[in-house]
Amino acid sequence: MDATEVSSALSRRTLLKYGLGTLGASAVGATLLSGCGSGSDSTSTASTSSSPPTTATMGGRELLGAAKKEGTLTTAAVGEPFSYYAPVVEGFEDFAGFQVDLKHPTYPATAQVVDLAEAAKTKMKPPYDVIEVTQSTANQAIEQDLLDPYVSSLWVDVPSLFKDADGYWSAAYFGLTSFIVNTDATDGFLPESWDELASSKKTPKGSFAMLGDPRTGQPLEGGLGLLTVMSAAIANGGSVDDVEPGLELLGQLVDKGVFELKDSSSLLALPDDAGTELTPINVLYSFDLPLAQHSGTTNGSTVEGKAPADGLVAGFYPQAIAAGSQHSSAARLWIEFLQSDRGAAIFLANGAIPTRASAIRLSGSKELRDALPPESELDAPVPSVSQVVAAQKTIDEKWTDYIPVEK
């Protein structure tokens, strides 16, 4: 079976396994043609021609053979059951011929970086080979010498926004802020835009929730809550550089009784596998849909997803290799697999978009090119670190001007 056949088989398998409903690869909403460089403060065209660092790349059969000799890979923040990452792990294990030891599968691995630091202090081998983190946590880990650089064979295809200039981290995929909806609880209503959510008479009272409180005081750790404000801002005449209109729109949802902010639990939307009831309308990443659908099925409900046409924002989690990792070849093979066409096929089948999307559109297989969103939708902004820091400051200062303090 060649690479195209493997990608096709994995794509079909994951589609059947997770039943992607209305948020299949072609309906995710957008990907990226324009983004900002890793050191940039403003949005610019994504580049696929940045100069890689000098770290040597061991590729092909040599790397696969070395990884097989190591015989395992230990990860942190990867592989939560029924999530978009579960079929990625399955695909990697099929390809590599050995199993992945999944530690702390919920993402991102912010706390696990502390474990790396403790191991470094005691001169012990790190407990993980690969971790998935936020960009800010990855940069902090670099400052503590906790990561090893690696330049993949597909490095040139990954836009500069999605990789560290010195190779210490890179991202294989990203997701879009999306409405993930229990349509049984909304009588089939699935808003396609923020405007429809705010103005439609079909929007139930108390039906809206955010994933995460953006008022963390820690840039980039507010995560999807902060990107939700950015998404609402774009829909309300603002931008990633002007997020106050997003707070205004969220305040309107509170005034209309759609967003009932009673306590901090109103800001936590994603259910767990124990059967926690899903808030009817949630803002999550597009790649959160498989887990939400599984949880919805557990509760006997139907869950569908749609990226808001008037508020597209993209976010990502980088992957990094621990310094002195015990299975360094397996770790590098993991990065290669995630960025490969095989990895891209699995991500696309589960609501995530490969960071190599532009390169795939230019020279990828017909199957992968057909799975990508249409070119007219390839303009979702990906906020830079400085834009997130500025947004955090505005949210912290202005939140109570638009949104009542919880009771």
Side-chain angles (χ1 to χ4, degrees):
M1 182 179 290
D2 63 21
T4 301
E5 291 172 326
V6 171
S7 296
S8 177
L10 289 173
S11 180
R12 287 196 300 271
R13 178 172 59 196
T14 49
L15 279 168
L16 290 171
K17 185 173 182 179
Y18 286 98
L20 292 183
T22 62
L23 202 67
S26 64
V28 167
T31 177
L32 177 76
L33 277 184
S34 59
C36 43
S38 57
S40 172
D41 291 347
S42 60
T43 301
S44 60
T45 301
S47 171
T48 58
S49 60
S50 58
S51 299
T54 57
T55 306
T57 298
M58 180 174 63
R61 295 183 182 276
E62 183 182 1
L63 178 58
L64 178 60
K68 283 181 176 293
K69 287 182 180 179
E70 293 174 345
T72 190
L73 173 71
T74 304
T75 64
V78 168
E80 186 171 4
F82 307 107
S83 73
Y84 66 100
Y85 240 136
V88 176
V89 173
E90 180 184 350
F92 176 78
E93 290 177 337
D94 288 345
F95 167 70
F98 55 80
Q99 291 189 326
V100 179
D101 184 7
L102 305 171
K103 304 290 188 184
H104 311 286
T106 55
Y107 56 83
T110 303
Q112 282 65 59
V113 172
V114 177
D115 297 339
L116 297 182
E118 290 299 320
K121 286 181 182 179
T122 58
K123 297 184 178 181
M124 299 288 289
K125 282 286 187 180
Y128 322 110
D129 301 310
V130 175
I131 60 175
E132 181 158 296
V133 290
T134 64
Q135 187 177 348
S136 63
T137 301
N139 290 337
Q140 292 168 11
I142 293 172
E143 294 176 0
Q144 299 177 65
D145 295 324
L146 300 178
L147 304 179
D148 274 344
Y150 179 67
V151 177
S152 73
S153 61
L154 293 167
W155 177 268
V156 71
D157 286 353
V158 179
S160 58
L161 170 67
F162 295 115
K163 60 192 178 187
D164 173 67
D166 294 318
Y168 283 96
W169 57 260
S170 59
Y173 70 96
F174 64 95
L176 300 170
T177 52
S178 300
F179 295 134
I180 307 272
V181 180
N182 176 356
T183 51
D184 290 339
T186 64
D187 291 328
F189 177 60
L190 176 64
E192 297 189 1
S193 66
W194 281 97
D195 179 67
E196 186 176 18
L197 174 70
S199 62
S200 176
K201 295 180 179 179
K202 296 180 180 179
T203 306
K205 299 291 186 182
S207 61
F208 177 82
M210 298 168 64
L211 179 62
D213 190 336
R215 300 165 296 165
T216 63
Q218 298 293 325
L220 288 179
E221 301 304 330
L224 190 48
L226 190 146
L227 292 188
T228 297
V229 178
M230 286 186 170
S231 177
I234 293 170
N236 199 32
S239 67
V240 294
D241 293 306
D242 177 20
V243 300
E244 192 168 346
L247 296 176
E248 180 184 11
L249 180 54
L250 291 172
Q252 292 172 11
L253 294 179
V254 173
D255 292 341
K256 293 181 178 182
V258 173
F259 186 13
E260 293 181 350
L261 193 59
K262 297 177 181 178
D263 53 47
S264 59
S265 65
S266 304
L267 295 168
L268 186 60
L270 189 64
D272 58 28
D273 288 337
T276 304
E277 185 177 355
L278 181 67
T279 307
I281 301 175
N282 311 272
V283 178
L284 306 172
Y285 282 121
S286 53
F287 50 67
D288 285 319
L289 182 61
L291 180 58
Q293 286 186 320
H294 168 77
S295 298
T297 300
T298 300
N299 290 304
S301 58
T302 302
V303 176
E304 301 181 34
K306 178 73 69 174
D310 56 358
L312 295 172
V313 180
F316 66 94
Y317 292 121
Q319 296 83 38
I321 298 175
S325 60
Q326 299 182 63
H327 311 104
S328 59
S329 294
R332 286 156 175 75
L333 186 67
W334 171 260
I335 300 298
E336 294 283 353
F337 181 83
L338 294 190
Q339 294 179 8
S340 72
D341 284 358
R342 300 184 188 188
I346 303 174
F347 282 129
L348 283 167
N350 288 277
I353 303 168
T355 55
R356 294 179 50 241
S358 294
I360 289 172
R361 184 169 292 282
L362 289 174
S363 58
S365 68
K366 183 179 185 303
E367 178 193 14
L368 281 180
R369 286 186 280 112
D370 289 347
L372 290 172
E375 189 171 357
S376 62
E377 298 178 344
L378 300 180
D379 59 357
V382 183
S384 68
V385 172
S386 62
Q387 287 171 324
V388 169
V389 171
Q392 181 77 66
K393 185 175 185 293
T394 299
I395 291 169
D396 290 342
E397 292 176 351
K398 300 288 188 177
W399 179 274
T400 55
D401 290 351
Y402 296 96
I403 300 171
V405 176
E406 307 92 294
K407 298 179 182 179

